[in-house]
Amino acid sequence: MSKRIVIISGGDLDEEFTLSILNAAETNYVIGVDKGMEFLYKHNIMPSYIVGDFDSVDAKVADYYRKETNVPVREYNPVKDASDTEIAVRLATTLGCEQLFILGATGGRIDHLWANVQTLYIPFRAGIDARIMDRQNCIRLIEDKIVLKKNEAYGPYFSLFPLAQDIFGLNIIGAKYPLHNHTMTPYDSLCVSNQFEEDEVSISFLSGIVILMETRDK
């Protein structure tokens, strides 16, 4: 069984969805991030670690973890060079996890969301299967051929974006909108909201890193 770490950040947290992941047997560690601590506190879930500058969490909740528990607390000055979620992600990579789920990383401010998507590169570079997840979306990075199975997909739609540079030789087979030897650039929306045409979709490209978003409607 792979070691799974779940980060609970301060964005949108659907209660049923979040609890289903936190209560799964595969979850070994939980890291509470700033306002995300309030969700854990409300549901009596004791995190393995707490990180953040505590500028958005209820002071009562922060004091509870500081003074009434033995949870390791890593508190930072609000004037720092990384987001709270990035700090939690870097911590997770030192704990030897194979799977990292980041919840509460979507919703609200888009600048925070985009920073969180870019932060996925840190565990990706370390060989960790890291995903930003909410009830409608699953976001991860890929750099090699991947096969999506319809009966295992997170949702009926998938979108592709370059993480940085152009992606050459992109092939999508088995989808409603197939592509062959396509150059995907950061400047168009051609690869948004594709769908399954067959039971399996194959995605391949020559080089680079691609953001894969699997999505579903409410």
Side-chain angles (χ1 to χ4, degrees):
M1 181 183 299
S2 63
K3 181 188 288 186
R4 177 189 295 174
I5 295 178
V6 177
I7 290 174
I8 303 296
S9 200
D12 287 348
L13 291 164
D14 178 83
E15 187 170 53
E16 181 180 359
F17 173 80
T18 303
L19 289 176
S20 70
I21 292 178
L22 286 172
N23 293 329
E26 297 85 355
T27 298
N28 302 105
Y29 291 96
V30 176
I31 301 176
V33 181
D34 213 79
K35 191 174 177 62
M37 288 186 284
E38 293 180 6
F39 184 93
L40 299 174
Y41 178 83
K42 175 183 176 182
H43 294 280
N44 297 310
I45 296 173
M46 193 63 66
S48 310
Y49 295 88
I50 286 170
V51 303
D53 53 27
F54 298 177
D55 65 344
S56 60
V57 66
D58 187 307
K60 178 184 72 174
V61 174
D63 284 342
Y64 167 76
Y65 286 114
R66 285 194 196 103
K67 300 174 181 179
E68 299 183 38
T69 75
N70 294 318
V71 175
V73 176
R74 301 190 178 188
E75 187 169 355
Y76 296 83
N77 190 310
V79 182
K80 58 189 188 304
D81 295 329
S83 69
D84 292 335
T85 301
E86 179 182 336
I87 291 170
V89 167
R90 291 187 181 277
L91 170 60
T93 63
T94 70
L95 298 174
C97 70
E98 297 174 38
Q99 242 186 2
L100 176 61
F101 290 171
I102 308 171
L103 312 184
T106 60
R109 287 173 50 179
I110 295 176
D111 55 343
H112 287 174
L113 167 61
W114 188 243
N116 292 334
V117 171
Q118 291 181 313
T119 296
L120 284 174
Y121 182 69
I122 298 167
F124 177 81
R125 183 177 55 192
I128 297 169
D129 175 14
R131 307 178 184 209
I132 291 172
M133 301 171 68
D134 62 25
R135 196 164 64 87
Q136 291 181 257
N137 309 281
C138 179
I139 307 170
R140 53 180 159 147
L141 304 182
I142 58 174
E143 66 173 347
D144 204 351
K145 180 177 178 179
I146 187 172
V147 175
L148 303 178
K149 297 182 178 181
K150 187 175 183 179
N151 63 349
E152 298 176 359
Y154 201 79
Y157 309 105
F158 65 92
S159 300
L160 305 175
F161 306 91
L163 180 63
Q165 72 277 27
D166 292 351
I167 302 296
F168 298 101
L170 174 66
N171 297 294
I172 303 176
I173 301 170
K176 183 176 182 179
Y177 307 109
L179 286 175
H180 176 67
N181 199 29
H182 173 69
T183 298
M184 181 170 59
T185 75
Y187 317 116
D188 65 64
S189 57
L190 178 65
C191 294
V192 172
S193 197
N194 210 332
Q195 299 178 50
F196 286 84
E197 185 71 19
E198 301 178 12
D199 290 337
E200 293 185 352
V201 168
S202 172
I203 301 169
S204 63
F205 44 96
L206 295 177
S207 63
I209 300 174
V210 168
I211 303 167
L212 167 62
M213 298 188 182
E214 297 178 69
T215 56
R216 58 197 182 202
D217 293 321
K218 292 183 179 180

